[in-house]
Amino acid sequence: MSILNWSSLSLFSSKPLPLCKGKISVGAITKVLLRDLPPGRIVVLQHRDLDEVAAQELIDQKVKAVINCQETMSGAYPTHGPLMLLQQQIPIWEADAAAFESFTTNAEIAVYEDRIFLGDREIPCSSFTREKWLGMQQLANERTTKLMEQFIENTLTYAMRDMHAIMEPLPQVFLQTDLTDKHVLIVSRGKGYKKDLLAAKAYIAEVKPILIGVDGGADALLECGYRPHLIIGDMDSVTDKALACGAELVVHAYADGEAPGLLRTNALGLRAHVLPCFGTSEDAALLLAYEKRCEVLVTVGARTHMIDFLEKGRAGMGSTLLVRMKIGARLVDIKSIGLLYKRQGWTKEAGTTLFLSLFFIALGLFQLHWIVKRVAHVVWKLGGEG
């Protein structure tokens, strides 16, 4: 009888179990939300075309699920960000942009196949699937040629606009950190930055470069056990912990001198320089190190191609093109130096190889010694018999 009752409850239950439920963290700007995100949260975003860097950060933070109140992928350009989440069994639901204001951090929600329950409120949603990602990716690939034309036009337009600015020296910033004739490692939180920073371990240990974190790049350095000498940026994606680590701070300001990032450093009671400069914070860091007469500039996580810039909301790379033209041969990507030091550095594999080599050499010498003794014995015996 008890089995029949249990079966009846299962069959006639009017409300299915939720696919996902838990506390939420809400952020209109993903990189700001990621600064202090507790693990195991359902995150509610407004992130159109979810990029790979943000996806990897969400994976690293062990989020339970993503609710995106924007198009997770619009088909404007190719991106593997959504697929990365789905491959890690992190589900994605999309809700209407207007629904974003309904969510508040620490609220409890339950997510079903096509709706979200937030208290007494029911919010429609739809699941972002691998099939949808594949369709959007194919659409984006078909648009690539036209997209590249627009990107090149935008890049050249802004390069022409800013070409006179690149000729002028930066406003003077009196740093305590001396960069003259030194190697400088500039870390941005771009694609593959963690892997590249780990690959630079031997280089950092031997050369001991000046370490510059561009915004969240400072946290990347701290995560790998390094304290940055300088932090440069808008100060919007770097954590309070990194800002207070003792690094010298340089707030990247607009060319007209407006520096929104200064509000944050002032609120934390931290002293910071202000550097008005066109372009991105990465551009500003490169130019500052160059004008402080560094010997070599090494980049980690730097944006290098069209998709990198589009994912960061930049329709061109005019300033970056000009900066790299100005710096010239001093600029090196960590991938090149990482290969060199990987070959030269002492690794576990190298140690094992050397040990085995010495073992077999010793074994060979022992065998040779044994053979010589046997031959000498035979010769002596034959001589005695003669």
Side-chain angles (χ1 to χ4, degrees):
M1 186 69 181
S2 59
I3 295 175
L4 179 62
N5 289 340
W6 178 260
S7 176
S8 300
L9 285 171
S10 300
L11 287 171
F12 297 106
S13 175
S14 58
K15 193 172 182 179
L17 293 173
L19 299 175
C20 183
K21 64 178 182 178
K23 281 189 175 183
I24 60 173
S25 288
V26 184
I29 303 173
T30 305
K31 62 183 179 181
V32 175
L33 173 66
L34 287 167
R35 284 203 310 238
D36 300 297
L37 181 65
R41 287 295 180 102
I42 301 171
V43 293
V44 182
L45 311 174
Q46 282 190 312
H47 198 133
R48 181 182 171 88
D49 292 309
L50 189 67
D51 58 273
E52 293 180 33
V53 175
Q56 187 60 57
E57 292 291 330
L58 290 166
I59 292 167
D60 292 344
Q61 295 285 1
K62 297 180 172 55
V63 301
K64 186 184 290 186
V66 172
I67 297 170
N68 197 357
C69 297
Q70 284 285 348
E71 287 184 286
T72 303
M73 194 170 178
S74 66
Y77 54 82
T79 178
H80 284 80
L83 182 63
M84 289 168 61
L85 291 170
L86 297 175
Q87 287 174 333
Q88 295 297 318
Q89 310 304 316
I90 299 173
I92 305 170
W93 283 277
E94 294 179 310
D96 191 75
F100 182 77
E101 299 300 328
S102 303
F103 297 98
T104 55
T105 293
N106 293 325
E108 294 269 358
I109 65 169
V111 187
Y112 295 81
E113 187 174 352
D114 59 356
R115 62 198 188 280
I116 301 164
F117 283 97
L118 175 63
D120 296 330
R121 184 163 184 182
E122 187 176 329
I123 300 169
C125 68
S126 61
S127 178
F128 185 93
T129 63
R130 292 190 185 213
E131 290 74 23
K132 186 169 183 179
W133 173 84
L134 182 60
M136 290 293 106
Q137 189 79 344
Q138 290 172 341
L139 177 62
N141 287 331
E142 291 168 5
R143 296 174 174 174
T144 299
T145 301
K146 181 64 177 176
L147 188 64
M148 185 170 288
E149 289 177 4
Q150 295 171 348
F151 187 82
I152 292 171
E153 287 176 5
N154 184 285
T155 297
L156 295 177
T157 297
Y158 279 87
M160 289 296 292
R161 188 197 70 177
D162 294 330
M163 66 183 220
H164 296 294
I166 196 69
M167 304 297 181
E168 299 294 327
L170 290 174
Q172 192 64 261
V173 177
F174 297 98
L175 296 177
Q176 294 178 358
T177 308
D178 183 16
L179 277 59
T180 307
D181 297 329
K182 295 181 180 178
H183 282 228
V184 174
L185 185 75
I186 296 180
V187 181
S188 305
R189 217 157 192 168
K191 201 174 296 181
Y193 72 94
K194 288 187 178 179
K195 181 180 177 182
D196 289 343
L197 194 50
L198 287 172
K201 187 176 181 180
Y203 163 72
I204 295 172
E206 183 173 328
V207 177
K208 294 180 173 55
I210 299 296
L211 303 176
I212 299 180
V214 178
D215 275 320
D219 289 286
L221 284 164
L222 289 171
E223 287 164 14
C224 291
Y226 306 112
R227 186 176 72 83
H229 297 90
L230 284 163
I231 299 175
I232 301 177
D234 305 325
M235 307 304 175
D236 57 352
S237 60
V238 60
T239 64
D240 291 350
K241 177 184 175 182
L243 288 174
C245 76
E248 198 167 1
L249 306 180
V250 180
V251 174
H252 176 209
Y254 298 118
D256 63 5
E258 185 184 354
L262 201 58
L263 295 173
R264 185 164 177 219
T265 57
N266 287 341
L268 292 171
L270 299 171
R271 180 180 175 275
H273 306 282
V274 176
L275 176 63
C277 180
F278 74 101
T280 66
S281 295
E282 192 177 288
D283 297 332
L286 288 168
L287 284 174
L288 181 62
Y290 173 80
E291 293 200 5
K292 292 298 181 181
R293 306 176 70 83
C294 71
E295 182 183 356
V296 177
L297 271 164
V298 183
T299 57
V300 171
R303 291 190 286 270
T304 57
H305 57 80
M306 180 178 73
I307 302 302
D308 279 351
F309 284 89
L310 291 174
E311 285 185 336
K312 289 298 178 183
R314 300 188 71 86
M317 53 179 289
S319 62
T320 301
L321 176 65
L322 292 174
V323 168
R324 279 154 176 73
M325 288 175 68
K326 183 171 184 175
I327 292 172
R330 291 194 206 182
L331 185 62
V332 183
D333 189 81
I334 193 59
K335 291 180 177 63
S336 303
I337 290 183
L339 285 173
L340 176 65
Y341 276 83
K342 188 175 181 180
R343 289 172 185 152
Q344 293 180 345
W346 180 268
T347 63
K348 183 178 178 181
E349 290 77 10
T352 303
T353 302
L354 179 59
F355 172 78
L356 291 173
S357 299
L358 291 173
F359 172 77
F360 285 116
I361 289 171
L363 183 61
L365 289 172
F366 174 78
Q367 289 175 332
L368 180 62
H369 176 68
W370 183 83
I371 291 169
V372 169
K373 282 183 67 177
R374 291 294 298 170
V375 170
H377 178 71
V378 170
V379 170
W380 173 79
K381 191 174 183 180
L382 290 172
E385 292 176 355

